[in-house]
Amino acid sequence: MSTAPTPTSSRRVGVLLVNLGTPDAPETPAVRRYLREFLMDPRVVDIPAVARWMLVHLIILPFRPARSAAAYRTIWGPRGSPLLTHGQDLRAGLAAALGADVEVRLAMRYGNPSIESVLDGFARDGVDRIIVLPLFPQYSSAAFGSAAARVMELAGERWNVPQIEILPPFFDDPGFVAASAAIAERAFAPYGGTSGIDHVLLSFHGVPERQCRRSDPTGAHCLVRPDCCEALVDANRHCYRAQCVATAKAIAVALGLSEDAWSIGFQSRLGRTPWIRPYTDESLAELGRRKLGRIAVLEPSFVADCLETVEEIGDRGREIFREAGGGELVLVPCLNAEEIWVEAVSAMLRPRLDGMGVSPAAAD
């Protein structure tokens, strides 16, 4: 006697969280493997293939892995890289919030756990409806675009192609903004709130200027007009810098900051080509020269603390500010796996889960 096929509404749904990646260990060989995979991505280093190979293999890889490994050792915890461990904790929090009908897993665009291995696991477990959340608030081809493209590439190579839905960037999502502001307010509390902070710098990861220009279909708006990022319009709807500005404005409003109490910077630039401005290191030096007693730095392009937040800003950035004449730098933690962030991500996912037959009520 044959049995009826399982109704679609009863099949399990997968949620795939994707972050950038991290080395497997804070040692030179592991960092070299990670950097090779990362920097050879044509969406990251978007120059001709031969030039990219020469830059990565002849200029970067012979020298940078040892320096980066030393930096990673300063932030490595008992469970490993903070980017990975915070992601694992976020995954666990979401799994508890969404219920047993939803399989939540974490993958890294570069390194481990790889996107391919997680898709393999979903296939083995019969999960063929997958909601993908790239953990990059703002769109850039180098991060969000690369992660989304890789998921689609690997899913498309399978004989049984899973149903994939990729959530859009959440740079202006109310839950994301509220969570970012709440964590900042908690960091400000020991100083009497925002009144105890002389200036707030919102620092975002940088990208080359050419990547913003490529996102503009008109070719006449992004980084051409002096006010190109002041409002979101059709021409800059995919522009990373414009989305960063929108995020910064929303968080500043949520914190009740006046216009002269905050500013924006872009960090982590690489090479000699122009990257989007203003540069965070130069902004920190300028704030130091103003002899400010206490500033705070938020990093709303990162959802988890990592090398760029803890070491680049918390260590080197603090030194830049102090050496220029500044006082105290308060580094606001990222969203990590805070309960308010778990709730915000759950709220982003639940309308999609409801559309797949997993009701929000059942997911509580």
Side-chain angles (χ1 to χ4, degrees):
M1 181 176 179
S2 63
T3 57
T6 304
T8 300
S9 61
S10 69
R11 299 205 319 266
R12 297 183 74 195
V13 172
V15 168
L16 174 56
L17 307 174
V18 185
N19 211 329
L20 192 72
T22 183
D24 293 326
E27 306 298 337
T28 300
V31 174
R32 182 178 291 111
R33 288 193 300 272
Y34 169 72
L35 288 177
R36 181 184 296 114
E37 182 184 7
F38 172 46
L39 296 173
M40 285 302 291
D41 184 341
R43 285 182 178 266
V44 174
V45 181
D46 57 326
I47 60 178
V50 173
R52 180 170 58 252
W53 190 97
M54 294 178 66
L55 172 66
V56 173
H57 288 85
L58 302 182
I59 298 176
I60 297 177
L61 291 182
F63 308 104
R64 190 179 180 96
R67 296 196 302 269
S68 293
Y72 271 110
R73 285 193 287 272
T74 68
I75 69 165
W76 214 260
R79 294 170 54 200
S81 164
L83 182 76
L84 177 61
T85 57
H86 288 310
Q88 291 168 335
D89 292 343
L90 176 63
R91 186 217 65 79
L94 282 172
L98 297 176
D101 289 338
V102 182
E103 184 66 32
V104 184
R105 299 185 184 178
L106 172 71
M108 297 294 171
R109 172 61 183 90
Y110 315 101
N112 296 303
S114 68
I115 295 172
E116 185 173 18
S117 69
V118 175
L119 291 178
D120 287 344
F122 277 144
R124 284 193 302 270
D125 295 338
V127 176
D128 58 6
R129 296 180 297 157
I130 304 168
I131 301 172
V132 181
L133 177 61
L135 292 171
F136 312 107
Q138 301 82 21
Y139 179 84
S140 71
S141 180
F144 189 106
S146 181
R150 185 60 173 161
V151 170
M152 292 187 290
E153 176 189 5
L154 291 169
E157 291 174 352
R158 297 170 185 272
W159 186 262
N160 297 318
V161 178
Q163 175 185 334
I164 300 285
E165 179 178 0
I166 300 177
L167 270 62
F170 47 88
F171 65 95
D172 59 351
D173 176 78
F176 164 67
V177 172
S180 299
I183 292 171
E185 287 172 341
R186 187 174 65 192
F188 298 165
Y191 311 102
T194 55
S195 62
I197 305 295
D198 296 320
H199 192 83
V200 175
L201 176 64
L202 295 106
S203 180
F204 298 81
H205 199 289
V207 299
E209 288 184 352
R210 65 178 179 270
Q211 294 190 2
C212 284
R213 291 192 176 98
R214 289 183 68 180
S215 72
D216 176 4
T218 71
H221 186 91
C222 290
L223 303 182
V224 176
R225 298 166 51 104
D227 61 346
C228 61
C229 294
E230 289 306 305
L232 291 172
V233 296
D234 285 346
N236 68 3
R237 67 186 184 277
H238 297 304
C239 176
Y240 174 75
R241 191 180 189 280
Q243 292 187 4
C244 289
V245 170
T247 295
K249 287 181 176 180
I251 293 175
V253 168
L255 290 172
L257 300 175
S258 61
E259 288 189 6
D260 61 348
W262 64 276
S263 58
I264 294 176
F266 296 93
Q267 64 184 81
S268 311
R269 66 188 184 275
L270 175 68
R272 298 179 180 178
T273 58
W275 283 44
I276 54 177
R277 296 174 182 267
Y279 297 146
T280 290
D281 56 350
E282 294 179 358
S283 296
L284 288 171
E286 174 58 28
L287 292 169
R289 287 191 289 270
R290 289 167 54 184
K291 308 298 183 184
L292 297 181
R294 181 182 297 120
I295 67 168
V297 181
L298 283 72
E299 298 180 86
S301 60
F302 303 91
V303 300
D305 279 311
C306 56
L307 189 70
E308 286 82 356
T309 66
V310 179
E311 193 272 339
E312 183 179 350
I313 301 300
D315 294 338
R316 287 184 283 145
R318 181 175 280 116
E319 184 178 355
I320 290 170
F321 176 63
R322 287 177 174 172
E323 287 186 350
E328 182 178 5
L329 186 152
V330 178
L331 180 62
V332 177
C334 290
L335 298 165
N336 295 326
E338 295 285 349
E339 183 177 355
I340 191 171
W341 176 228
V342 173
E343 292 172 354
V345 177
S346 298
M348 294 181 207
L349 292 165
R350 286 184 175 177
R352 272 69 176 190
L353 293 171
D354 185 47
M356 291 184 172
V358 181
S359 70
D364 286 333

